[in-house]
Amino acid sequence: MTYITLAKSDAEIERCFAIIQALRPHLIASEFVSRIKRQEQQGYQLAYLEDEASIKAVAGFRIAESLSWGKFLYVDDLVTQESDRSQGYGTNLLNWLLDYAKANACEQLHLDSGVQRFAAHRFYFKQRLEIRAYHFAINLIQ
């Protein structure tokens, strides 16, 4: 049975680590739960899709508001277990995020994707997402 839910307990958050680490390899397992808990204080939430007692896809997101976008859901992290890609898990999780955004009166959904992530871009285009801006950044700590 497939279902999507928010990771609330430390154990649920911990179960999401292996999937998130595929997208964020710099993360350290022993620090993961505390990092998620800190981010939750700023509105971050972690959702996961589970099928046959195994987590297949994970999304980290937050709801915010800005002058440019109004109220929006921002997807910080969206990843499907590599061996489970192209089986509909990512689509199901993204559709859940869209429904969650609508249920919370968001006007838009936004995410950034690294310029090198061509397979992810194909997925986003297939899901009707559009490129609307460039994202600029500078490292402050070297």
Side-chain angles (χ1 to χ4, degrees), residues 4 35 100 105:
I4 298 171
R35 286 187 73 163
Y100 190 92

Side-chain angles (χ1 to χ4, degrees), residues 13-133:
I13 293 168
E14 199 169 272
R15 288 184 65 216
C16 295
F17 176 74
I19 310 299
I20 287 281
Q21 192 181 37
L23 180 65
R24 311 281 182 227
H26 64 279
L27 295 176
I28 299 167
S30 62
E31 299 172 356
F32 185 65
V33 172
S34 62
R35 286 187 73 163
I36 296 298
K37 293 291 187 181
R38 273 196 317 275
Q39 288 182 212
E40 284 178 342
Q41 294 172 10
Q42 300 166 10
Y44 183 88
Q45 298 184 77
L46 195 61
Y48 63 93
L49 182 150
E50 186 165 357
D51 188 24
E52 298 178 12
S54 176
I55 295 178
K56 306 294 187 176
V58 176
F61 67 97
R62 64 191 76 233
I63 291 178
E65 189 170 348
S66 70
L67 295 175
S68 58
W69 299 336
K71 188 173 182 185
F72 64 95
L73 186 146
Y74 184 83
V75 181
D76 294 82
D77 314 289
L78 178 59
V79 61
T80 300
Q81 178 76 10
E82 189 168 353
S83 60
D84 294 317
R85 292 186 183 151
S86 299
Q87 296 183 38
Y89 297 124
T91 298
N92 288 343
L93 188 52
L94 182 58
N95 285 334
W96 183 92
L97 289 165
L98 290 165
D99 290 342
Y100 190 92
K102 291 173 189 173
N104 284 276
C106 293
E107 299 171 43
Q108 299 181 36
L109 178 140
H110 285 261
L111 61 80
D112 287 324
S113 180
V115 295
Q116 77 286 1
R117 301 194 67 235
F118 302 114
H121 302 164
R122 282 191 300 276
F123 170 75
Y124 297 138
F125 287 135
K126 186 177 177 184
Q127 304 304 316
R128 302 179 336 269
L129 277 74
E130 306 168 338
I131 297 174
R132 293 192 179 171

